Amino acid sequence: MRNVRSIAVSAIAAALIMGCAQPQEIGKSHYAAKNYPAAIEAYKQANTEEPNKAVNTKGLADAYFANRQYNEAIEWYLKTKSLNPSDTSIACNLGTAYYYTGRNNEALAVLEAANIDPLSQNSAGRDARIRSLRGMAAPVSSCSQTLDTLYEKTGRYDSAIATMKRKIDADPRQPEPFIKLSSLYFKNGQYDDAIIAAKRGIDLSTASAEAHHNLGVSYWKKKQYVQAVGSLRHALALNPKNSVTALFLAKSYEQVGEEVKAVETLRHSRTSAPSVAVDFELARLLYRSGSYAESAELLNGVVEKNAITGIGIE
């Protein structure tokens, strides 16, 4: 009975406290409890009672962001920025919100201007780290990853490579940055550098299918087909469901005169990871070997899927 009374008294006390609290404080409490819809309503009231107050506009923007209402978050972050232009702490969330709504150029502009970098000691970096630790913003490492993704999506590989190199300089013992760097070098046409980075990634993580794949496709681009076969076989053994690896391996086999192995590779890929591109490539090889009926059957399937245009591995 005492426990029931104690719970009831606590509930009444909480209600009284909330009743006396300012909307901004109520919003903070709801946000801390991850009740974002309630936080939004509280901050809306706070902005009604005290309009043009940056702490309230930022609170509402953060609540919208946490609730994945990114367009609304952008609106209120921009209002916060207009009220307090020197506030750099909103850049991480604002840039990420732009990214999630497909506004890549605006996201790049915001994140680059703020110089969001988890390794940086600039004020924007410190502010972002502090806010992420307090739970009021996306983790700054997440913003850095968003910036890296934007560089890659917009074809700014030199910038993406530069940021990845900084991560490697900060901790050269991690394989992931080397593996990612090898992919970026490949996309940027720097195949020798891609090979070096992929090999370093393999040294640090021998079981990484991605590292072996990156090494193999870089060899393939340099027309070093024997080396490509070795690396791509290893990659496919580690990840049999990667149809792109299978395609590159089949093409490498073809270049070294082992078309039977190329066909076997693609047949196996069809069972483990069906792909229109695999069907198309297999049909081409079968046609070359004189298996016209099977080749035609595969091509008919490709056409039925309306996917023949643009098929390829590059």
Side-chain angles (χ1 to χ4, degrees):
M1 188 68 178
R2 284 182 179 177
N3 287 339
V4 173
R5 285 178 180 173
S6 175
I7 293 170
V9 169
S10 297
I12 292 169
L16 288 171
I17 291 169
M18 292 294 279
C20 296
Q22 295 297 316
Q24 178 194 339
E25 297 302 319
I26 296 172
K28 281 184 180 179
S29 296
H30 284 312
Y31 190 101
K34 297 186 178 180
N35 186 352
Y36 304 125
I40 288 169
E41 293 307 313
Y43 276 117
K44 279 183 178 179
Q45 185 180 346
N47 279 285
T48 299
E49 294 180 5
E50 295 182 283
N52 300 323
K53 189 173 181 180
V55 68
N56 291 336
T57 58
K58 183 188 290 184
L60 182 54
D62 284 337
Y64 274 132
F65 183 90
N67 206 42
R68 299 184 179 182
Q69 294 176 246
Y70 299 118
N71 285 313
E72 291 85 352
I74 290 168
E75 176 186 350
W76 286 91
Y77 280 131
L78 291 176
K79 188 163 186 177
T80 302
K81 189 176 180 181
S82 70
L83 294 170
N84 187 5
S86 63
D87 186 353
T88 60
S89 66
I90 66 171
C92 183
N93 280 13
L94 177 57
T96 303
Y98 275 135
Y99 170 67
Y100 284 144
T101 54
R103 297 162 68 174
N104 291 344
N105 289 334
E106 288 160 294
L108 272 172
V110 169
L111 293 175
E112 283 189 320
N115 194 19
I116 295 295
D117 188 330
L119 308 173
S120 174
Q121 295 304 312
N122 63 67
S123 60
R126 287 195 301 272
D127 287 346
R129 282 195 299 277
I130 291 168
R131 280 171 57 71
S132 67
L133 288 170
R134 289 175 178 172
M136 295 298 287
V140 65
S141 59
S142 173
C143 289
S144 175
Q145 290 167 7
T146 299
L147 186 56
D148 292 342
T149 301
L150 284 166
Y151 283 143
E152 190 171 357
K153 277 191 171 185
T154 55
R156 293 179 55 181
Y157 298 119
D158 288 337
S159 297
I161 287 167
T163 59
M164 202 56 59
K165 282 182 173 180
R166 288 203 301 273
K167 291 180 182 180
I168 289 171
D169 289 341
D171 187 356
R173 298 166 299 175
Q174 299 302 317
E176 290 81 8
F178 283 102
I179 297 168
K180 183 62 180 178
L181 181 61
S182 67
S183 176
L184 292 170
Y185 275 137
F186 178 85
K187 291 177 180 179
N188 206 36
Q190 297 173 246
Y191 305 122
D192 288 325
D193 291 324
I195 288 169
I196 293 169
K199 284 182 176 180
R200 182 60 180 140
I202 291 169
D203 288 342
L204 295 168
S205 180
T206 56
S208 170
E210 185 180 0
H212 288 284
H213 171 90
N214 291 352
L215 180 59
V217 295
S218 298
Y219 279 135
W220 189 86
K221 274 292 191 179
K222 287 179 64 61
K223 299 183 179 181
Q224 296 175 234
Y225 299 117
V226 173
Q227 294 93 325
V229 166
S231 296
L232 292 167
R233 283 182 60 185
H234 202 152
L236 198 60
L238 290 166
N239 183 10
K241 293 187 176 182
N242 191 328
S243 60
V244 178
T245 299
L247 282 165
F248 271 108
L249 178 55
K251 282 187 169 289
S252 298
Y253 274 136
E254 184 183 7
Q255 291 295 329
V256 296
E258 297 191 62
E259 291 192 4
V260 173
K261 287 186 178 180
V263 170
E264 288 175 356
T265 297
L266 295 173
R267 287 192 189 281
H268 185 269
S269 182
R270 287 195 77 217
T271 60
S272 60
S275 158
V276 170
V278 166
D279 287 352
F280 184 81
E281 185 63 18
L282 180 56
R284 185 183 68 81
L285 289 174
L286 289 171
Y287 183 87
R288 285 189 57 177
S289 67
S291 299
Y292 303 124
E294 188 179 359
S295 175
E297 183 180 349
L298 283 168
L299 284 175
N300 284 335
V302 170
V303 172
E304 286 173 7
K305 294 173 184 175
N306 297 316
I308 196 166
T309 303
I311 288 176
I313 61 174
E314 293 186 72

